[in-house]
Amino acid sequence: MRFRVIMIISLIITTLIVLYIFVPFRHIIACNDLQSDQLLAYLPVEEGTHMSIRYIHSIHGSEVHETYTIKQTRLYPYQLVYEDTAVGMPAHAGSGETFEMKDGKYYIRNMTGFEEYLNLTIGEVVANHQLVYKKHSYSLRENIGPGVSIKIQAEYTNLWNLWKGEQLE
């Protein structure tokens, strides 16, 4: 009888440990290697919050700030802020969006659609790509490395997957 109780307790504890490791419980912004899809780095986030990618535009040399809302495993464009409407940047808003110039910067708001992921090659010299979340900036160049091509995506993941990457610092 005693052996049976020990086996049942052991089975329950093992089951709880397995569930703790493999059941998704955490929203993250994942930075995966574009070729292998291996998790390189991640940032814990909350559902429904905003995250941004901030960088220096390679041609204009001015700052660009792309903001997304995190909903489940999708990134919904929220706002785009930039200083030049030349090469690679929009000169007007799309249907249903608003376009405004304020204090020398252009703002596009009420953006539509969603992205499953964003592809990005981390700048080697000027771009200074950063993820911004809750007023904290995380340098992709310092955390992942210059010249690395990554896929940025929202994920709902488990502890096992988090052990494969490094948390952004």
Side-chain angles (χ1 to χ4, degrees), residues 134-153:
K134 291 190 174 183
K135 299 183 183 181
H136 295 283
S137 295
Y138 303 89
S139 170
L140 295 178
R141 183 176 178 186
E142 290 176 15
N143 283 279
I144 298 173
V148 177
S149 295
I150 61 173
K151 177 171 64 173
I152 299 171
Q153 64 189 68

Side-chain angles (χ1 to χ4, degrees), residues 25-30 42-52 68-75 131-134 138 152-157 162 167-168:
F25 73 100
R26 179 60 131 167
H27 280 94
I28 64 168
I29 294 298
Y42 67 90
L43 183 63
V45 295
E46 296 172 17
E47 167 83 12
T49 58
H50 299 295
M51 61 77 69
S52 300
Y68 298 87
T69 302
I70 303 159
K71 292 183 183 175
Q72 297 177 355
T73 58
R74 292 182 173 164
L75 299 171
L131 283 183
V132 181
Y133 182 69
K134 291 190 174 183
Y138 303 89
I152 299 171
Q153 64 189 68
E155 292 182 4
Y156 192 60
T157 194
L162 293 181
Q167 184 169 334
L168 290 175

